[in-house]
Amino acid sequence: MKLLVTGANGFVGKNLTAELMNISEGKCSFQGIPKGAQVLCADVDTPAESLKEYCADCDFVFHLAGVNRPKCEEEFAQGNTESLRQVLGFLKEQGNTCPVALSSSTQAQLQNPYGESKRQAEALLLEYSRETGADVYIFRFPGIYGKWCRPNYNSVVATFCHNIAHGLPVRIDAPDKEIKLVYIDDVVRSLLLCTAGTVQKNEDGFCAVSPEYTVTLQRLADLLTSFKEGRHRLQVPKLSDSFVSSLYATYLSYLPKEDFSYPLNTHSDYRGSFTEIIRTSDRGQFSVNISKPHITKGNHWHHTKNEKFCVVSGSGVIRLRRIDCEEVLEYFVSGDKIEVVDIPTGYTHNIENLGDTDMVTFMWASEAFDPKYPDTFFLEV
């Protein structure tokens, strides 16, 4: 199977090509696209003869080539309409009636040069379908966000991500203005569905990407700012919200390379150290505890806070005792056998390093530590 991607060096093209290569190399699978499928990449600098060769026997065309920020208005027609005309001409010349998916825009509904060039491309593709019987798929994309989108070009999300991540100001002239957005991974998934003929279409016959999000410019800026500020508080956003999750992933892809790493506050004494790594408002906190040889830590209990201990290096014992009983439970733990020990409420507990090297324990607590309400009470096991 041969899959042609035009505009392969663009934002959508790069993401689609990367996933097609994953499928081709067997790193993931997608119904209808076999392992070993050949991905043919074309862009503005691809010679016409090479593009013609690609069109001769390809099995599907993703036409993503386009222009939205030209030097002059005439380039709209060349980049958005004539580029498709050339591909369709090569297909017809070679007698190839393979399906074609077109990247159009919601701007096609507007009366501007860019929208007009996109409408003309849509009309060309529909006419091609009527002439040849080929299956065609037209996407009127709203704003698309995700990794590898160019900032300060045509994406407010990319620009906001870049500026906020780099400590630059963002300009918001209409904070209450709502914009519609789709995430690049969902766009790629919908494009791939075209190869199986199972992509969702709306009542107007255009292919749809789901989910589609609506957000105000101010809300967008506030979320991205919270991502930047949250790092200093060891916080991550609530990732159960698909928009927040995908926006957070997008934001991280715009971090300056020198800011990929950041320091943590480690509390150290003769017993070892304790370092908080992540704090959340609704999923507790994650920390790493290092115990020196033959050191015991803990000897406290909680009313509501519950914990999970996981020793990943070294060996030791976790002891628990319900505060109104004398029975002591012992769980011998080791990095040689990774397991989790739950620390229930109402049980005083400690952890002792039985070895001659440092013992490293990952610890999760159901709530982030609050010095005003620590819910931690000393009591020997």
Side-chain angles (χ1 to χ4, degrees):
M1 186 177 193
K2 295 183 179 180
L3 304 158
L4 172 58
V5 181
T6 68
N9 291 330
F11 166 42
V12 178
K14 284 182 180 179
N15 280 273
L16 175 61
T17 299
E19 189 67 352
L20 288 173
M21 292 303 299
N22 284 335
I23 297 169
S24 174
E25 295 168 6
K27 297 175 182 177
C28 64
S29 61
F30 191 86
Q31 183 180 5
I33 302 178
K35 179 180 178 180
Q38 187 175 353
V39 184
L40 308 172
C41 297
D43 214 280
V44 64
D45 56 353
T46 300
E49 283 304 312
S50 297
L51 182 60
K52 185 176 180 179
E53 289 178 11
Y54 295 161
C55 289
D57 59 353
C58 61
D59 299 292
F60 198 100
V61 176
F62 297 99
H63 186 71
L64 309 179
V67 173
N68 49 33
R69 283 292 181 91
K71 296 179 180 178
C72 60
E73 288 187 1
E74 289 73 17
E75 292 182 20
F76 279 127
Q78 180 62 39
N80 296 325
T81 308
E82 297 307 314
S83 64
L84 176 62
R85 192 190 305 276
Q86 182 184 45
V87 169
L88 298 180
F90 286 154
L91 290 173
K92 287 191 287 186
E93 183 179 329
Q94 302 295 325
N96 188 349
T97 59
C98 69
V100 179
L102 172 66
S103 170
S104 186
S105 166
T106 53
Q107 291 280 315
Q109 304 171 78
L110 304 180
Q111 299 301 318
N112 58 50
Y114 175 64
E116 175 62 25
S117 66
K118 286 295 188 181
R119 281 197 305 277
Q120 290 179 2
E122 294 174 359
L124 272 178
L125 189 59
L126 292 173
E127 179 60 27
Y128 168 78
S129 178
R130 286 190 291 268
E131 289 180 4
T132 65
D135 293 327
V136 297
Y137 304 91
I138 299 174
F139 288 85
R140 281 189 169 180
F141 292 126
I144 307 174
Y145 66 99
K147 63 184 182 301
W148 306 334
C149 187
R150 190 195 315 179
N152 301 306
Y153 185 61
N154 69 328
S155 167
V156 65
V157 177
T159 300
F160 279 16
C161 282
H162 175 270
N163 286 14
I164 290 172
H166 287 77
L168 302 173
V170 296
R171 175 178 173 178
I172 307 176
D173 295 326
D176 295 329
K177 180 181 178 181
E178 291 186 336
I179 56 174
K180 294 186 181 299
L181 298 170
V182 288
Y183 182 48
I184 186 60
D185 285 10
D186 298 321
V187 168
V188 168
R189 191 174 301 111
S190 295
L191 286 166
L192 293 177
L193 286 172
C194 294
T195 64
T198 57
V199 67
Q200 179 184 353
K201 293 187 178 183
N202 61 26
E203 58 186 14
D204 296 321
F206 296 106
C207 298
V209 177
S210 180
E212 183 178 276
Y213 305 105
T214 301
V215 63
T216 65
L217 292 176
Q218 188 63 59
R219 169 65 173 159
L220 176 64
D222 289 346
L223 276 172
L224 294 172
T225 300
S226 73
F227 299 161
K228 182 180 180 68
E229 296 174 347
R231 176 192 256 198
H232 304 297
R233 298 192 294 268
L234 305 184
Q235 294 179 341
V236 293
K238 190 172 182 180
L239 302 179
S240 57
D241 183 314
S242 61
F243 176 65
V244 173
S245 176
S246 57
L247 188 65
Y248 184 59
T250 300
Y251 168 77
L252 292 178
S253 72
Y254 288 86
L255 287 175
K257 294 177 181 178
E258 60 271 20
D259 288 348
F260 282 7
S261 66
Y262 55 101
L264 297 173
N265 185 22
T266 297
H267 304 276
S268 302
D269 59 23
Y270 71 94
R271 301 172 303 164
S273 65
F274 180 81
T275 307
E276 295 181 6
I277 298 176
I278 294 176
R279 297 168 62 92
T280 72
S281 61
D282 63 336
R283 295 293 188 275
Q285 79 174 35
F286 179 72
S287 310
V288 60
N289 180 77
I290 299 178
S291 300
K292 293 296 182 181
H294 311 295
I295 286 293
T296 299
K297 289 186 174 183
N299 286 315
H300 58 240
W301 64 280
H302 315 289
H303 278 302
T304 302
K305 182 188 302 182
N306 52 91
E307 299 171 300
K308 295 180 184 292
F309 290 0
C310 179
V311 171
V312 297
S313 179
S315 60
V317 60
I318 298 171
R319 300 185 179 94
L320 302 98
R321 177 177 64 83
R322 210 171 92 166
I323 65 171
D324 58 351
C325 297
E326 295 184 359
E327 180 187 17
V328 175
L329 307 176
E330 291 187 326
Y331 293 88
F332 291 88
V333 290
S334 168
D336 295 332
K337 182 185 178 183
I338 305 295
E339 58 185 328
V340 170
V341 177
D342 269 313
I343 312 297
T345 55
Y347 279 77
T348 186
H349 51 279
N350 64 30
I351 181 168
E352 180 183 356
N353 183 351
L354 299 178
D356 296 325
T357 60
D358 287 356
M359 180 175 67
V360 181
T361 307
F362 287 171
M363 295 181 171
W364 172 85
S366 60
E367 58 188 49
F369 181 74
D370 183 348
K372 295 181 180 179
Y373 306 98
D375 188 13
T376 301
F377 308 95
F378 176 79
L379 183 64
E380 292 278 358
V381 174

